[in-house]
Amino acid sequence: MIENLSTTQLAILSLLKAKNKKDIEYAPIPGVTHVVKELFALKNTKLGNELLDELNFEPDNFGPFDETVSAALEDLNAIGLIRVDTIGSSRQIQLTQKGRELSDSIWDVLDDDVKGLVSYIKINFNNLSTEGLLNKIYALYPEMTVNSKSRVALKYRH
């Protein structure tokens, strides 16, 4: 099954498998915005850029966006590897049991430097509020504020 997944889908499953700041494995990602921004952060490293060659982020309503991520999430949900739960006004993405088993298999074949990078991203971004996440992304990549409708973007526009 791994061979049928895109690099974006593999990255999402790896992020969902990685431990969070509280050292909890399989911790959910707090929403679609977080998934997109965590993949953007991953892509903007030398190693991540090599791994995620299919992604091409552009400035959008809330900073960097690539439709490929939304499609990957929809496909992972449709084949039963992830679940998207609505909690209040937000959505939380987590692995199903089938997704956990597959993400374990993926994790087992990743190089240590890839595991380290994915873990770093999960630890440093997953615990942030959406506003905190946007603050971090916009501070590092102010060019991504151009089309943003977020009030957070205003302080980073030139």
Side-chain angles (χ1 to χ4, degrees):
M1 175 153 216
I2 293 173
E3 58 278 351
N4 296 329
L5 297 174
S6 70
T7 56
T8 301
Q9 291 169 327
L10 293 170
I12 292 168
L13 293 173
S14 298
L15 278 167
L16 284 164
K17 155 88 173 149
K19 292 181 179 179
N20 67 4
K21 192 173 190 171
K22 295 180 181 174
D23 208 35
I24 299 170
E25 191 173 40
Y26 310 114
I29 297 176
V32 175
T33 300
H34 271 73
V35 173
V36 172
K37 302 319 179 237
E38 289 179 28
L39 288 171
F40 175 75
L42 188 64
K43 168 82 173 168
N44 277 282
T45 65
K46 186 175 188 288
L47 179 58
N49 189 46
E50 292 170 14
L51 297 171
L52 295 171
D53 59 347
E54 71 185 7
L55 293 179
N56 184 25
F57 289 91
E58 297 179 356
D60 199 35
N61 293 340
F62 291 95
F65 182 75
D66 185 324
E67 182 59 41
T68 306
V69 177
S70 298
L73 286 168
E74 287 174 20
D75 291 345
L76 290 171
N77 190 34
I79 59 177
L81 295 176
I82 64 168
R83 191 171 80 227
V84 181
D85 296 326
T86 302
I87 299 170
S89 62
S90 65
R91 294 186 292 173
Q92 177 175 285
I93 294 96
Q94 59 188 325
L95 292 166
T96 61
Q97 186 56 44
K98 181 178 167 186
R100 283 183 178 209
E101 291 166 10
L102 185 60
S103 71
D104 287 342
S105 300
I106 294 165
W107 196 259
D108 288 345
V109 298
L110 292 178
D111 291 339
D112 287 344
D113 54 347
V114 175
K115 289 179 189 176
L117 178 58
V118 170
S119 297
Y120 176 84
I121 298 293
K122 179 95 175 246
I123 288 167
N124 286 284
F125 289 86
N126 209 62
N127 63 305
L128 299 172
S129 66
T130 301
E131 187 172 310
L133 178 67
L134 291 176
N135 257 310
K136 193 170 218 174
I137 293 294
Y138 292 153
L140 294 168
Y141 305 96
E143 68 277 9
M144 287 294 169
T145 65
V146 170
N147 299 323
S148 181
K149 294 179 179 177
S150 168
R151 59 185 168 76
V152 177
L154 296 176
K155 65 182 170 183
Y156 298 102
R157 283 197 184 122
H158 300 316

